[in-house]
């Protein structure tokens, strides 16, 4: 279930999104350990958006994070031994 969608960051291979404030109740039903899945797409204005990958964490994981999360495209990772994010 989609809870939130970011703005589009055009023409950028290393995008940085603006911070977002989402109430804990809306994001994770008040549970900081509830699993959250983040999906990243390449926006195409005239066709379907391209799936780039995802990562999973929790609100606690977001709060404790000391490094960026790796966005992994699982199907591509399984097909290619040399897959690199």
């Amino acid at each position: 279930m989609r809870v939130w969608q970011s703005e589009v960051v055009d023409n950028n291979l290393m995008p940085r999104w603006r911070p977002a404030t989402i109430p804990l109740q809306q994001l994770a039903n008040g549970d900081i350990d509830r699993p959250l899945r983040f999906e990243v797409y390449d926006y195409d204005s005239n066709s379907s958006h391209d799936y780039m990958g995802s990562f999973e964490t929790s609100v606690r994981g977001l709060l404790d994070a000391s490094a960026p999360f790796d966005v992994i495209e699982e199907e591509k990772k399984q097909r290619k031994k040399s897959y690199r994010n």
Side-chain angles (χ1 to χ4, degrees):
M1 165 175 68
R2 181 183 299 170
V3 175
W4 183 78
Q5 181 174 334
S6 75
E7 74 279 8
V8 173
V9 178
D10 284 322
N11 303 319
N12 193 325
L13 295 177
M14 297 291 288
R16 297 187 65 79
W17 291 271
R18 291 187 302 244
T21 302
I22 305 167
L24 180 59
Q25 189 64 33
Q26 178 184 346
L27 181 63
N29 201 28
D31 179 358
I32 67 169
D33 294 312
R34 184 179 187 153
L36 302 174
R37 179 178 175 90
F38 293 81
E39 295 182 346
V40 179
Y41 290 82
D42 180 28
Y43 177 81
D44 292 321
S45 61
N46 57 359
S47 65
S48 64
H49 308 314
D50 300 321
Y51 177 71
M52 296 182 69
S54 65
F55 68 91
E56 293 187 9
T57 188
S58 63
V59 171
R60 185 184 309 275
L62 291 171
L63 295 172
D64 293 344
S66 60
F69 293 91
D70 288 331
V71 175
I72 305 295
E73 189 176 348
E74 287 297 331
E75 286 183 23
K76 190 179 282 186
K77 183 179 178 183
Q78 291 175 3
R79 286 193 320 261
K80 295 183 176 183
K81 290 184 179 186
S82 62
Y83 176 83
R84 189 161 172 261
N85 174 336

